[in-house]
Amino acid sequence: MAKPAVLTHPESLKRPAGPSDYAKDPVNASMSKAEKIALYTKMARIRHFEQRCIRIYQQGKIGGFLHLYVGQEAVAAGTISLLGKHDHIITGYRDHGHGLMVGMGMNECMAELTGRVTGCSQGKGGSMHYFAPDKNYWGGHGIVGGQAPLGTGLAYAVKYMGLKGSCLAYMGDGAVNQGAVHEAYNLAALWDLPMIFVIENNGYSMGTSQERSTAHPGCLAKRAEGYDMAWDVINGHDVYEVRAKTALALKRAHEESKPTVLEIFTYRYFGHSMADPDKTYRDKEEIKEYREKKDPVLAFEQELLREKVLTPELSQEINDAAMAEADKAAVFADESPDPTVADITKHIYWEEDNRGPDTTSRGTIIFE
Amino acid sequence: MAVISYREALRAAMREELKRDDKVVIMGEEVAQFNGAYKVTEGLLKEFGPKRVVDTPISEAGFIGLGIGASMLGIRPVMELMFWSFSYVAFDQIVNNAGNIRYMSGGLINCPIVIRGPANGGTNVGATHSHTPEAILASHPGIKVVCPATPYDAKGLLKAAIRDNDPVYVMENTILYNDKGEVPDEDYIVPLGVADVKREGIDLTIVAHGRAVITSLKAAEILEQEHGVSVEVVDLRSIRPLDEETILASVRKTHRALLVEENKPFCGVDAQVAYLIQSKAFDELDAPIHRVSSIDAPQIYCKRMEDQQLPDVNRVVREALKVLA
């Protein structure tokens, strides 16, 4: 058994979840009751969607890889809940939570997992490749760290067009050792781009703990100093803290056009993917500790109960509805048709899908 | 009609497109202040300013990825690679991201990006700087690849590439940069996927792209002068999309085909062209198809030997005579 990772957690992460230190932060205090309930509802929806996915995967209906977001909900929920019209996001392959947060429907998300033509990418992307550009969500990327330069390009485009916006590029803790991430850091800092790199630090790059993968594992965000970028560490189990600290980074992006690296400590309850039996690199006690004492969805529920925003009955209602929605999505995904053989060769080139007298392409582009 | 160099033709294409569309941005190592490692972008910074003509750090995976990301939001970056050989450190961005995003998003996203730069041997710089990745990249659905051989085509193809809504990779040749040719003064494009018969003939078809076209045209001249053979030279111009009809029409006319490219032979562009001819015009052939490619080894440094490693006029003439025998 490998030693568990040694992490430099923010103070609040070292104790079991309790009243948030950030409830009175202006960005949270200014939320209406309805907004708070909506945020909790979104977190619950991610939780129940992912748990429904496990059952479908176990039934053999989801192929390939399935990387679950259970345990990390407050990261996507907290950050994305702050975004405006010109703020964009892009992430790696653990991308379901972000999709649901930007407003993708459970049906299209579930149907993508089962490879149906009704899926968000018409069954061509799969679990790792969700996209919703109409909602400023640019994927869903399979290669660790490969999305970081793309995100930097989104931030570049926002700045080029003179818009007050930003891009949040999410990645796992394993991505910080990829060259592409460092190249993106350099460009974002060099060109003063409105960029927020969000390291979702769940402690393990697949099955390798930080101390076995990363030089100076205590604080990954600190690498930002090498690029003269601002950075912060966040307790990712407290959605209020995520919002409070992300809001500062967003302000820096919007008002100063400066990048930030945020390291958000979080935890995944399941293996790296469903293909990971999760038996070799961490012990059950560690998982139990997080589930019982620091769960981000439960913690926010408790917070809202204390604030008397939620009642146990309303919470039950919200969770029942999310479960029912996930059940319905599972049926939808099951009953939807597959793409056809003819669909295999669509959506490869814009110019082919829109070929006309004015398009710049002729000749054969798909070969027998 | 002005007579300008291949380099000037590329520059004119970029200048005109920068003027036409304010979403066009030139980006790359040394493209702005230094005026381009090969002076292709000379003067563009002065004319268009630092927002439109941007120097990048030596960071291909970073800046190419940035360009691809920006293109998803509608910017039209024209990225210069100092050498296409340097694309290999940005392969994930160039192939996985630019090439796959439209597909993986079910058609929701497209990447109107151009990546251009020289991709050629023959300059005495050794194996790492002499790659010709047109076949490697064109083998990925989602990507377009063009290889202009003349100033006219360089300008027309680059302008088409910039206006195209898919990733287009333009592979130039440093040895051709000073070649001169006639280029119209008025606006024009050469659509992607349209081959050009650079010389008409009736006895043999030579199919080539890039500088191999120039070599083939010289060989055709010798074949006519010294051997009385009439050779047709088809310049592919575009690798993907590929103008199959022009190739097949020429073969139907001459009944013999020689394929010439500066790539290495294994899985080269001409392997695909040979398959095309045998599958769609087999009955038209009076002789087996022959190929002339670079000698199959990493690019040799020694200039005298590198000149022999690449297809030269003598080798093309020799091989043509075999097809005609």
Side-chain angles (χ1 to χ4, degrees):
Chain A
M1 179 73 68
K3 280 197 292 181
V6 179
L7 305 174
T8 308
H9 288 170
E11 275 307 306
S12 60
L13 198 69
K14 293 176 183 166
R15 56 180 190 258
S20 172
D21 298 340
Y22 291 85
K24 290 196 171 65
D25 186 278
V27 79
N28 297 319
S30 64
M31 287 175 91
S32 70
K33 198 172 160 181
E35 284 169 341
K36 287 178 177 179
I37 291 171
L39 182 58
Y40 173 71
T41 303
K42 284 177 180 169
M43 290 173 72
R45 284 177 74 245
I46 297 172
R47 174 67 54 95
H48 291 297
F49 177 86
E50 294 290 67
Q51 286 179 335
R52 194 69 183 76
C53 288
I54 297 171
R55 279 164 56 197
I56 301 174
Y57 183 90
Q58 286 165 344
Q59 290 164 355
K61 291 176 182 169
I62 297 176
F65 301 122
L66 177 66
H67 307 87
L68 296 168
Y69 205 61
V70 182
Q72 301 188 201
E73 293 90 343
V75 180
T79 51
I80 294 168
S81 65
L82 296 163
L83 303 185
K85 190 178 172 194
H86 300 301
D87 297 310
H88 297 263
I89 67 162
I90 190 165
T91 187
Y93 43 75
R94 201 177 300 284
D95 60 351
H96 304 174
H98 308 76
L100 292 173
M101 265 312 292
V102 298
M104 293 172 78
M106 279 197 196
N107 280 2
E108 56 176 319
C109 288
M110 198 69 91
E112 188 60 31
L113 301 182
T114 55
R116 306 301 188 183
V117 74
T118 53
C120 49
S121 297
Q122 303 194 26
K124 291 179 169 176
S127 166
M128 300 188 286
H129 308 119
Y130 281 13
F131 295 87
D134 61 321
K135 300 175 175 68
N136 292 0
Y137 183 29
W138 299 92
H141 293 267
I143 307 298
V144 173
Q147 73 278 17
L150 296 181
T152 310
L154 292 165
Y156 173 89
V158 165
K159 185 174 181 179
Y160 184 89
M161 294 187 277
L163 301 169
K164 193 171 174 175
S166 69
C167 179
L168 278 67
Y170 299 81
M171 58 186 135
D173 42 290
V176 301
N177 297 319
Q178 283 280 36
V181 171
H182 287 268
E183 295 193 28
Y185 277 9
N186 183 55
L187 287 166
L190 183 71
W191 291 349
D192 288 333
L193 299 179
M195 188 66 203
I196 304 174
F197 297 98
V198 180
I199 304 167
E200 300 197 46
N201 185 347
N202 64 24
Y204 298 90
S205 48
M206 199 165 160
T208 306
S209 66
Q210 254 145 60
E211 63 178 17
R212 294 199 301 124
S213 65
T214 303
H216 189 39
C219 184
L220 307 181
K222 206 172 176 205
R223 291 183 178 190
E225 287 178 9
Y227 301 92
D228 197 23
M229 273 190 289
W231 60 275
D232 205 348
V233 289
I234 301 176
N235 170 5
H237 301 279
D238 177 358
V239 72
Y240 276 164
E241 181 169 338
V242 173
R243 280 172 52 87
K245 291 183 175 174
T246 305
L248 298 176
L250 267 173
K251 191 163 179 262
R252 187 174 296 119
H254 289 167
E255 290 175 14
E256 299 168 51
S257 193
K258 292 274 192 189
T260 305
V261 176
L262 296 177
E263 180 179 6
I264 307 187
F265 291 93
T266 182
Y267 198 78
R268 60 169 153 81
Y269 297 163
F270 295 94
H272 164 73
S273 74
M274 288 299 286
D276 166 16
D278 197 7
K279 284 178 180 159
T280 54
Y281 58 91
R282 60 182 185 178
D283 56 45
K284 291 236 169 349
E285 282 308 303
E286 183 182 293
I287 304 171
K288 191 162 175 267
E289 163 94 8
Y290 277 95
R291 264 188 182 275
E292 291 177 358
K293 296 185 178 160
K294 293 168 183 171
D295 183 86
V297 184
L298 278 177
F300 194 44
E301 182 192 36
Q302 293 302 313
E303 184 77 30
L304 295 185
L305 287 169
R306 276 191 298 272
E307 291 181 23
K308 304 207 186 310
V309 167
L310 266 186
T311 60
E313 295 74 26
L314 180 55
S315 177
Q316 188 65 49
E317 216 174 278
I318 288 167
N319 282 280
D320 288 348
M323 259 186 280
E325 190 186 357
D327 285 344
K328 273 170 77 175
V331 173
F332 175 82
D334 221 16
E335 292 178 347
S336 287
D338 281 346
T340 63
V341 172
D343 289 333
I344 296 174
T345 50
K346 286 180 191 152
H347 306 132
I348 302 171
Y349 295 96
W350 187 97
E351 300 287 346
E352 293 311 296
D353 296 336
N354 300 280
R355 199 179 256 213
D358 296 332
T359 45
T360 43
S361 272
R362 314 270 188 278
T364 305
I365 196 151
I366 302 301
F367 293 84
E368 285 169 15
Chain B
M1 193 90 83
V3 175
I4 60 172
S5 70
Y6 185 103
R7 173 190 285 113
E8 289 162 339
L10 291 165
R11 187 187 305 144
M14 285 186 272
R15 182 186 292 120
E16 288 174 20
E17 295 305 302
L18 278 162
K19 277 188 187 159
R20 191 186 59 81
D21 183 351
D22 63 12
K23 292 281 171 59
V24 174
V25 180
I26 310 296
M27 211 181 257
E29 292 156 8
E30 311 293 1
V31 296
Q33 281 195 23
F34 195 82
N35 276 318
Y38 285 100
K39 306 299 174 217
V40 174
T41 55
E42 189 165 30
L44 295 181
L45 171 66
K46 199 173 168 199
E47 190 173 348
F48 294 96
K51 185 180 176 188
R52 309 290 303 284
V53 184
V54 184
D55 277 326
T56 65
I58 299 173
S59 179
E60 285 86 2
F63 75 76
I64 295 283
L66 180 148
I68 295 164
S71 79
M72 301 191 303
L73 262 186
I75 306 296
R76 303 184 87 88
V78 181
M79 319 291 289
E80 176 171 304
L81 283 168
M82 198 180 295
F83 296 89
W84 264 100
S85 294
F86 299 169
S87 71
Y88 295 10
V89 296
F91 208 69
D92 182 47
Q93 301 299 328
I94 286 172
V95 173
N96 249 333
N97 288 345
N100 286 339
I101 278 179
R102 179 168 182 78
Y103 197 70
M104 294 194 307
S105 66
L108 296 174
I109 299 171
N110 63 298
C111 295
I113 189 169
V114 173
I115 307 176
R116 52 154 290 273
N120 57 282
T123 54
N124 198 202
V125 291
T128 57
H129 286 56
S130 302
H131 288 289
T132 51
E134 64 264 34
I136 297 171
L137 290 169
S139 72
H140 295 87
I143 287 169
K144 297 175 178 178
V145 179
V146 297
C147 300
T150 65
Y152 177 89
D153 292 338
K155 184 175 177 189
L157 284 169
L158 181 52
K159 282 167 72 85
I162 294 169
R163 296 179 195 182
D164 195 276
N165 286 308
D166 296 308
V168 185
Y169 301 161
V170 181
M171 301 196 187
E172 304 158 5
N173 190 311
T174 52
I175 298 171
L176 299 177
Y177 278 154
N178 287 329
D179 279 14
K180 292 199 164 160
E182 286 193 337
V183 174
D185 299 319
E186 63 272 20
D187 180 50
Y188 73 99
I189 65 162
V190 173
L192 314 183
V194 181
D196 185 37
V197 177
K198 286 280 193 288
R199 178 191 174 105
E200 291 197 16
I202 54 169
D203 298 324
L204 169 72
T205 295
I206 295 181
V207 180
H209 67 273
R211 192 169 74 108
V213 172
I214 309 301
T215 309
S216 299
L217 286 169
K218 288 178 187 159
E221 194 61 35
I222 291 171
L223 285 159
E224 181 162 312
Q225 299 297 327
E226 297 179 12
H227 301 276
V229 177
S230 165
V231 177
E232 180 145 303
V233 177
V234 175
D235 176 3
L236 293 177
R237 300 200 288 199
S238 170
I239 309 303
R240 187 180 190 126
L242 185 68
D243 183 352
E244 296 189 332
E245 276 318 307
T246 299
I247 300 167
L248 294 170
S250 182
V251 171
R252 286 188 195 109
K253 183 165 82 170
T254 66
H255 307 291
R256 292 169 198 269
L258 173 66
L259 315 180
V260 184
E261 67 180 319
E262 295 197 348
N263 257 316
K264 306 301 187 301
F266 190 83
C267 294
V269 170
D270 288 344
Q272 180 71 24
V273 175
Y275 169 75
L276 165 74
I277 295 170
Q278 77 81 30
S279 70
K280 295 192 178 162
F282 184 74
D283 291 341
E284 298 282 349
L285 288 173
D286 288 344
I289 301 164
H290 282 229
R291 293 173 66 191
V292 177
S293 327
S294 282
I295 293 172
D296 198 16
Q299 206 73 9
I300 193 166
Y301 166 70
C302 170
K303 178 75 173 111
R304 276 84 59 201
M305 288 305 106
E306 191 187 16
D307 287 346
Q308 300 208 31
Q309 184 174 15
L310 288 160
D312 63 6
V313 174
N314 292 338
R315 191 138 63 95
V316 174
V317 169
R318 260 199 326 270
E319 211 61 28
L321 293 173
K322 285 187 202 164
V323 183
L324 288 158

